[in-house]
Amino acid sequence: MKNKLSWFAIPYVVWMALMVVIPILIMVVYAFTTAEFQGTLANFAEMGSYASVFLRSFQLALVATLVCLLIGYPVSYWIAQESSGFQRLAVALIMLPMWMNFLLRTYSWMSILENNGLLNQFFRSIGLLELLGVEYIPMIGTSGAVVLGMVYNYLPFMILPIYSVIVKLDHSLLEAARDLGGDTPLVFRKVILPLSLPGVLSGVTMVFVPSVSTFAISRLLGGGTQMMLGDLIEQQFLGGAYDPHLGAAISMVMMVIVVVCMVVMNRFGEGEEQAVML
């Protein structure tokens, strides 16, 4: 019976081979070759001149992930404590922006943050700009605007995994902790927080990975001054600085770094779960 069922996995294996394995192999070949497809490590040596782009990408991604966590965990915890009807409504409202096009959501923030955008018009109407002695407050084209765009677009990916874990916690454990004399802060710190770590780690991964590789947000809200790894890779394949071999090398290094971060976070989560069980 198992042999017969295994045949149903063939389409999935073929799909993974065509869409995942083969592109990765092509990327590895390009990363270690020249334009004449001769073996070289020069592509990796050349990345040293883009160290600032790597640093900026990981800094902004970490900041965005931390902000999403600081906002997402309390929101998830609050929703999980409410009635089932409120939970369904809250989850629907959180997912509602995700039904809109990603670029459309980002363009909307451009109209809000630009020099003559909605925020600056509001500040002008209340006399704040006149008080500060400026024509506008520069917001577009800054690191803050890029982080804001990441948080807005990826916050649901932090809230939903944490909420799904907290709402499924065994309430008998919480009642037992309270019966043993634990107050609300102690129960949260010793029971709820450790048991919700799998959701936290999933949320961190789902926010950090797209944040560190984004290019649309950094291009639109960063105004071309906040180049990130996604923009750099796109330039190597589609821009004037056409060099797919360098682009493949950058992609490979970024992929390895992201995989290492995910492995470390997963190991950390396994350690925490074992500590809770003990």
Side-chain angles (χ1 to χ4, degrees), residues 49-58 227-232:
S49 57
Y50 299 106
S52 60
V53 179
F54 275 86
L55 182 61
R56 181 186 301 114
S57 298
F58 280 91
M227 178 179 287
M228 297 182 65
L229 284 174
D231 305 294
L232 181 60

Side-chain angles (χ1 to χ4, degrees), residues 108-119:
S108 66
W109 275 107
M110 291 180 62
S111 64
I112 295 173
L113 300 176
E114 62 185 8
N115 297 337
N116 197 33
L118 296 178
L119 269 181

